[in-house]
Amino acid sequence: MQPAVRAQFPQARPRRLRRTETLRRMVRETRLSVDGLIYPVFVVPGGDVREEVPSMPGVYHQSVDQVVEDAREVADLGIPAMLLFGLPSTKDWEGSEAWAHDGIVQQALRAIRRAAPSLVLIADTCLCEYTSHGHCGIPGPDDQPGFIENDRSLELLTRAAVAQAEAGADIVAPSDMLDGRVQAIRSALDARGLVDTAILSYAAKYASAFYGPFREAAESAPQFGDRRGYQMDPPNGREAVREVGYDLAEGADMVMVKPALPYLDVVHAVKSTYPDVPLAAYNVSGEYAMLKAAALNGWLDERRSVLEALTCIARAGADMTITYSAKDVARWLSSAALSSELTAVG
Ligand code: PBG
């Protein structure tokens, strides 16, 4: 402590307020709530399919009928929102199933909308799960690795966003990191009268190694090159605040920082700069897999470590967290034993 502060508060004895659980509960600065949870799912073609993703125990590839069951459970647990990813039956150069009227996510959106009408449905808007090359946009004619044609790709992304909105998505979430996509999507939606569909932009999305398990789950690893020509460079923090500013100027209703745990400084910076903008953080596949693997080995207490991680994401400034642990967290938060467990954090 600074000597000046000690002089200002000569009687300070902070441990007084840590003495009992009730005291700690009363002065707690951050309260984790089910209201801020968003649950991601992977939809696959077929019927009666429910296959665990090997690198993400507890996460499944599910056909539409199974996702509908899952959606009912998610709604019953009080989780407000689901984020949908799709694995198409066939991939092609332009990722046409991303915007097909009957594309896999569009089918799921219609079915869930009927089964769980109050659930907030968020569609991940991207091409990488649908393209044969695995990039989030369309590679250009020169074969520079990972080179993506920005404006041509925007045209395809906007088609996907429109198809998702028409199928019932409350929110479309562009995750491609191409320039100008928020504005392109907003105009395309408005032109079709889809003025109530909101945009959650993956505004500060980094070229992160922590997406590894997701790319296995979504079969979306780039077939050549990498995503560093469009996703952000991990060492850059100030740039993230600028990216968020551009997306807000283009009409984003909510913004996201992704990944979450290694980027809490970015979450904090974005929240400090734009305190009034709803901010989501994506606790990505690799973050999930790390804790899960350690828990399965008996090296970490899953409940305590997941709750601590999510509480810290909220403390950094996230209003919402996208997490594969959402259903477990909702159950834990509603269990009476929770408060004493949370405070048992070492
Ligand atoms: C699609 C997309 C990715 C994730 C969400 N949307 C993968 C990527 O950019 O390679 C990652 C989610 C996760 O790791 O949990 N562009």
Side-chain angles (χ1 to χ4, degrees):
M1 190 185 282
Q2 299 293 323
V5 178
R6 184 42 96 186
Q8 202 183 344
F9 301 106
Q11 307 299 331
R13 202 170 159 86
R15 285 184 54 200
R16 283 187 190 119
L17 299 182
R18 294 179 200 142
R19 205 169 42 82
T20 71
E21 168 50 17
T22 320
L23 268 167
R24 289 190 294 268
R25 182 157 62 85
M26 188 178 72
V27 300
R28 200 158 280 155
E29 296 175 27
T30 308
R31 292 184 173 84
L32 196 59
S33 155
V34 69
D35 297 337
L37 297 176
I38 300 173
Y39 184 58
V41 291
F42 298 98
V43 196
V44 298
D48 213 17
V49 181
R50 187 172 152 85
E51 279 165 15
E52 196 165 53
V53 177
S55 54
M56 302 176 73
V59 174
Y60 299 84
H61 281 165
Q62 302 183 92
S63 48
V64 171
D65 54 302
Q66 296 294 307
V67 166
V68 165
E69 288 312 307
D70 215 10
R72 288 202 180 96
E73 194 186 348
V74 167
D76 287 347
L77 286 165
I79 297 168
M82 222 162 162
L83 171 63
L84 284 83
F85 295 96
L87 283 81
S89 43
T90 52
K91 298 183 190 241
D92 56 32
W93 190 258
E94 295 199 321
S96 58
E97 227 187 281
W99 67 83
H101 174 78
D102 257 339
I104 186 71
V105 162
Q106 286 76 293
Q107 292 178 34
L109 286 166
R110 291 192 182 89
I112 300 170
R113 179 53 76 223
R114 283 192 295 273
S118 64
L119 210 56
V120 174
L121 299 182
I122 310 175
D124 180 89
T125 307
C126 201
L127 299 180
C128 62
E129 298 122 70
Y130 305 91
T131 49
S132 46
H133 44 78
H135 279 289
C136 304
I138 305 303
D142 66 13
D143 54 2
Q144 199 189 323
F147 175 74
I148 298 301
E149 287 206 321
N150 198 85
D151 296 2
R152 204 172 134 231
S153 307
L154 290 188
E155 154 69 21
L156 305 179
L157 280 164
T158 58
R159 281 192 217 166
V162 166
Q164 292 166 340
E166 284 175 341
D170 298 289
I171 301 175
V172 292
S175 68
D176 50 280
M177 286 304 277
L178 301 185
D179 291 334
R181 77 273 170 79
V182 173
Q183 178 156 40
I185 289 173
R186 185 71 269 159
S187 336
L189 291 172
D190 290 351
R192 282 159 191 80
L194 297 160
V195 294
D196 289 329
T197 308
I199 298 176
L200 161 59
S201 109
Y202 285 70
K205 175 173 175 177
Y206 287 87
S208 170
F210 290 94
Y211 307 151
F214 174 95
R215 291 185 187 169
E216 183 190 357
E219 295 167 8
S220 67
Q223 298 304 301
F224 52 87
D226 55 46
R227 304 209 204 289
R228 284 181 285 188
Y230 42 104
Q231 297 182 344
M232 284 183 59
D233 203 19
N236 295 2
R238 293 187 295 274
E239 185 190 349
V241 175
R242 226 163 60 231
E243 276 276 10
V244 166
Y246 298 147
D247 284 5
L248 291 172
E250 290 181 29
D253 301 283
M254 310 156 84
V255 294
M256 189 197 301
V257 171
K258 174 185 175 189
L261 292 174
Y263 295 84
L264 293 186
D265 58 324
V266 177
V267 172
H268 188 258
V270 170
K271 193 59 187 173
S272 309
T273 312
Y274 299 105
D276 304 329
V277 174
L279 173 62
Y282 200 141
N283 181 226
V284 300
S285 56
E287 301 172 52
Y288 174 84
M290 286 195 297
L291 293 190
K292 199 62 164 186
L296 288 171
N297 271 293
W299 297 337
L300 277 181
D301 178 324
E302 184 175 17
R303 168 141 113 168
R304 281 175 49 195
S305 50
V306 169
L307 287 171
E308 180 179 339
L310 294 178
T311 302
C312 294
I313 293 170
R315 189 199 60 216
D319 303 299
M320 292 150 286
T321 302
I322 300 163
T323 173
Y324 302 96
S325 306
K327 290 200 294 185
D328 289 336
V329 172
R331 285 187 205 103
W332 295 332
L333 287 177
S334 66
S335 85
L338 175 71
S339 53
S340 55
E341 298 231 4
L342 238 194
T343 48
V345 169

